[in-house]
Amino acid sequence: MDRALLTMRSRTDLAACAGACLLLFLVGACERVVSIAAPSETPRLVVEARIESPYSGAPDTPRIRLTTTQPYFDAGPAAPATGAVVLLRDGVSPPMSLTAATGGEYVGAPMTVVPGRLYELDITWDGDHFVAVDTAADVAPIDSVYFGTTRESSADGRATLAFRDAPGRSDYLLWDQWVNGVRLGGPDASLRRRPIASDNGFDGLVVLGFSPFDGVAVPIGAAVRVRQKGISRAIFDFHAALNEQLARDGWPFSEPMSSVRGNVRNRTTPSRRPSGYFSVGRYDERTRVRTR
């Protein structure tokens, strides 16, 4: 055999052997378990407090939820904040004490929200004293709910509502929707973002054909409940900031990720800042079954 050819083949075999060894090395390297030690901190309080009652003036039961922050890689449910002392004040009646229930929920006696009144939430937990205040907001009642069509298909109904906005009043609105008793919301970013609006562009006007959860198809035979709630300007700004964070798409000029602060303050240890919000307002809702 020609010596040059033999030498070339030997070099080729050697290169193939080296390549195989490199591949085995890379495969072995991919199997290594890498542990990342995320910094830990003392759990902080998370407040989810929506005090609300119907536009009709009927009383409703105040319920708030207190949980704690979790480690970064913990995917389990939030741990309830047990042992808290919770008081609700309206500046007129004696303070209302909320009683602990399950899952971090605290419940009070039925009450009626008075628009324009200042309410205060007082929480003592884990040696710290937390306070939040909010001015109760009014709401325009819903005139009707019907089922329109989505842009994707004329056969898929979406819950659509009509209402007349109150003139001469700065209103801020938030919407919730349930389908067969299940509240819309989930891992999809479009459902995590809260539907909110200011009446700056429709003050005193009749609003027609508005779908808070546009594009969400409602199956035939499903029962839909739509709630329209009045919120204060401070709570509107809070939800708007949260929505901005959820709208980030990785673009270099997107709004930088930051911690959105609510209206709950730690009076004992200010550096141990709580998360969440305290909102008070009236709501109106309608329930309808899609029949076709």
Side-chain angles (χ1 to χ4, degrees):
M1 181 179 295
D2 184 78
R3 180 174 298 179
L5 181 59
L6 179 61
T7 303
M8 185 179 297
R9 181 174 297 175
S10 300
R11 290 176 178 173
T12 302
D13 293 342
L14 182 61
C17 181
C21 291
L22 179 60
L23 179 61
L24 289 174
F25 173 77
L26 291 175
V27 171
C30 290
E31 293 178 352
R32 292 185 60 187
V33 177
V34 178
S35 298
I36 300 177
S40 60
E41 63 173 7
T42 302
R44 293 181 290 114
L45 185 66
V46 179
V47 180
E48 299 171 78
R50 285 176 52 170
I51 307 300
E52 49 198 21
S53 67
Y55 176 82
S56 64
D60 203 348
T61 302
R63 301 174 184 272
I64 74 168
R65 186 167 181 257
L66 303 180
T67 55
T68 62
T69 56
Q70 300 170 269
Y72 183 81
F73 292 106
D74 189 346
T82 58
V85 176
V86 183
L87 299 175
L88 180 63
R89 299 186 177 95
D90 64 1
V92 177
S93 307
M96 177 189 296
S97 178
L98 276 63
T99 305
T102 59
E105 189 176 59
Y106 291 77
V107 183
M111 59 172 286
T112 299
V113 168
V114 180
R117 183 172 292 179
L118 188 69
Y119 289 79
E120 180 183 84
L121 181 65
D122 187 297
I123 303 170
T124 302
W125 175 78
D126 197 28
D128 284 342
H129 181 210
F130 304 87
V131 174
V133 295
D134 191 39
T135 301
D138 208 347
V139 67
I142 299 173
D143 291 330
S144 62
V145 172
Y146 58 95
F147 295 98
T149 57
T150 63
R151 297 186 181 92
E152 292 77 15
S153 172
S154 60
D156 292 333
R158 54 181 174 174
T160 307
L161 54 87
F163 65 94
R164 179 186 293 275
D165 183 67
R169 187 179 72 193
S170 296
D171 282 349
Y172 301 92
L173 303 170
L174 176 147
W175 289 271
D176 285 304
Q177 184 170 310
W178 293 260
V179 178
N180 288 334
V182 179
R183 181 168 170 261
L184 293 183
D188 183 83
S190 64
L191 295 182
R192 286 205 308 267
R193 288 195 288 267
R194 299 307 310 272
I196 56 174
S198 163
D199 73 345
N200 185 47
F202 55 86
D203 179 53
L205 301 179
V206 175
V207 178
L208 299 172
F210 174 65
S211 297
F213 292 84
D214 189 21
V216 176
V218 176
I220 293 176
V224 176
R225 177 161 58 106
V226 180
R227 174 175 292 190
Q228 180 167 287
K229 182 195 173 184
I231 57 177
S232 65
R233 172 62 187 270
I235 298 302
F236 174 83
D237 290 342
F238 171 75
H239 283 295
L242 285 179
N243 287 347
E244 284 292 329
Q245 294 294 316
L246 292 170
R248 295 177 74 254
D249 56 2
W251 179 251
F253 302 105
S254 296
E255 189 76 15
M257 182 61 73
S258 63
S259 177
V260 179
R261 296 192 61 181
N263 58 345
V264 186
R265 299 289 182 264
N266 188 335
R267 294 282 182 84
T268 306
T269 315
S271 60
R272 193 182 177 190
R273 296 183 303 186
S275 298
Y277 64 95
F278 170 57
S279 173
V280 187
R282 295 209 296 179
Y283 69 85
D284 193 37
E285 64 181 24
R286 294 288 185 275
T287 299
R288 187 167 180 181
V289 177
R290 187 187 175 201
T291 58
R292 57 186 178 87

